[in-house]
Amino acid sequence: MLVEFRVENFRSLRDEQVLSLVASSDKTLRDTHTIATGLNAAPQVLRSAVIYGANASGKSNLIKALQYMKAVVVESATVVQPGQTYAVQPFRLDRQSEREPTSFEVTFILDGVRYQYGFALTPLRIVREYLLVYKAFKPQRWFERRVDDEGNEAYTFGPGLKGAKSLWETATRSNALFLSMAVQLNSEALRPVFDWFARRLVIFNEQAQVGLQTSFQMLQQPTAHRRICDFLSAADISIADIDIQTRKVQGPSVHIDMAAGKTEVKMEETEEFQLRFHHETERGAADLDLMDESNGTRVLLHFAGPVLDILDKGLTLFIDELDTSLHTLLVRKLVGLFHQREINTKNAQLVFTTHDTSLLDATGLFRRDQVWLVKKAQDQASQLIGLAEFSPRKTEALERGYLLGRYGGVPFLDHALGLKANGA
C-alpha cells in the first residue's frame, strides 16, 4: 500500500510536493476509511484520497509525475537504449530549476515491510538513486548511487542487499536505474520493489485510458460475470444480464515474409465479439447493444473489470478526473467500494482528482485528511496542500468553504477574465 509520494521539479511542481496517505490521529471513520499497518511510524494509512484544484492548477501533473516515475522504473533497463535521453520536463519558468534534476520518491508497505525508494534524473542520466528498507524501526540503506560534479558515479551498498552487486553495478548504464537493471539480472531481493511499480500501481489518465479488455475477459468467467452485472446495476438497475455474442467476419491480415522480403495482405476470417445488455422491467424486457447504452453505463463498464480486479488484488489506483462522464452518485458508489471492508479485503487504495465539489459534504464519504488541494502561485508553481492544514470544523460546510476560496485551489474568475465590479 502507498504511504507517501514526493516529487520535485516536474512540470509545474517546482518545489518538493508531498502527497501523504498517512492517516491523522482523528478517529472519525477509522474502521472503514483507514488501514492498520502494524508499524509505529505510520499506524494507519488511508484507503482513499481526493485531489481538488482549478483547471491548470497542476493536479493532473501530480498523477503524471507518478506515472513518469513508474515508466522509468519499468522501462529504463529494457526499453531505454544506450545514449538515449529522457523527455523529462522540469519547471521552465525559473532558470535555476531548468538546470536542476527532477526527483521522485515513493514510500510503500509490502508484506509488512516499509520501502522508501527514490531517484533523481536529468535528460541525460540518473544522478541519484537510493533504497531504504525498514525491516525494523531503523532503516537499512540497501544501496545508494550518486554522481559527483565531474560526472563520476559512486555506489554504496548496505549488508541488507544480497546478490551480485558488483555485476549489477557494472551492467547499469548512466541512463538506466540500478533497481531496474538488477531485477533484469535476476535480483530476487529487489524484485518486490520493481513489481510494486510494475504490477501493484495502476494509473488511468489521458495518457493511459481505461480499456474494455479487462471487463470483457471477466465477463467470460461465471463468477466475475455476475459481479460486473451487479456493478453496472448501480448505473441502470434494469440491467439483468450481459450476453457475449460472437460472429465470423472477414478482415485484412498482414503477412510478412522476412526471408523473401515480401509483405502480403490477405482477407481472413476472424472472430468478433459483441456485447448485448438484457434489460428487465415490470412492463417488459429488451436487449440493447453497447452503443445503445448511456455514456455513464459504458464508462462504468470500462471501469468495472479493472476496479474489481484492483479490489481483489489489493492494488493502488490513481485516476485523473474520475467524475468525467460519471454522475455524482456513481462516483460516490465507486469510492465507497474502497471503504467497505467486506469488499476491499486486500486493502486496495484509490486516489483521484475531480472537480465535483458535492463530494466534499457527502455524508461519510471522506475524512478531512483524505482531501487535498492544488493551487498555483503567482510564479506559476503548483502547491499541494492537505485540507487538514486549514483545521476545518467537523460541522463546517466544506463545499461552500472551498468554493469561497477559503482553502485555495479555485480560480478567481473576475481577475482571470479581466472583469471589474460596477463602480470600480
Side-chain angles (χ1 to χ4, degrees), residues 201-216:
L201 176 61
V202 182
I203 300 173
F204 293 137
N205 61 3
E206 60 182 13
Q207 297 173 349
Q209 298 184 2
V210 187
L212 191 58
Q213 188 62 28
T214 302
S215 295
F216 177 77

Side-chain angles (χ1 to χ4, degrees), residues 165-174 176 181 185:
K165 297 185 281 287
S166 296
L167 172 63
W168 304 334
E169 176 185 345
T170 303
T172 302
R173 304 185 308 274
S174 62
M181 186 58 69
L185 297 175

Side-chain angles (χ1 to χ4, degrees), residues 51-68:
I51 304 171
Y52 284 93
N55 289 330
S57 62
K59 60 184 184 299
S60 294
N61 285 340
L62 188 71
I63 293 182
K64 288 178 181 177
L66 185 58
Q67 185 178 42
Y68 196 93

Side-chain angles (χ1 to χ4, degrees), residues 171-191:
T172 302
R173 304 185 308 274
S174 62
N175 65 344
L177 292 173
F178 175 81
L179 168 69
S180 309
M181 186 58 69
V183 171
Q184 184 72 10
L185 297 175
N186 302 317
S187 169
E188 292 303 318
L190 294 176
R191 179 163 293 280

Side-chain angles (χ1 to χ4, degrees), residues 368-383:
R368 299 294 191 262
D369 54 3
Q370 290 177 279
V371 180
W372 291 81
L373 311 163
V374 177
K375 66 177 182 179
K376 188 171 281 187
Q378 290 293 326
D379 58 7
Q380 297 301 294
S382 299
Q383 299 174 343

Side-chain angles (χ1 to χ4, degrees), residues 66 70 195-203 315-316 318:
L66 185 58
K70 173 179 177 174
D195 284 349
W196 187 87
F197 285 95
R199 306 179 189 279
R200 304 194 65 81
L201 176 61
V202 182
I203 300 173
L315 310 183
T316 297
F318 276 71

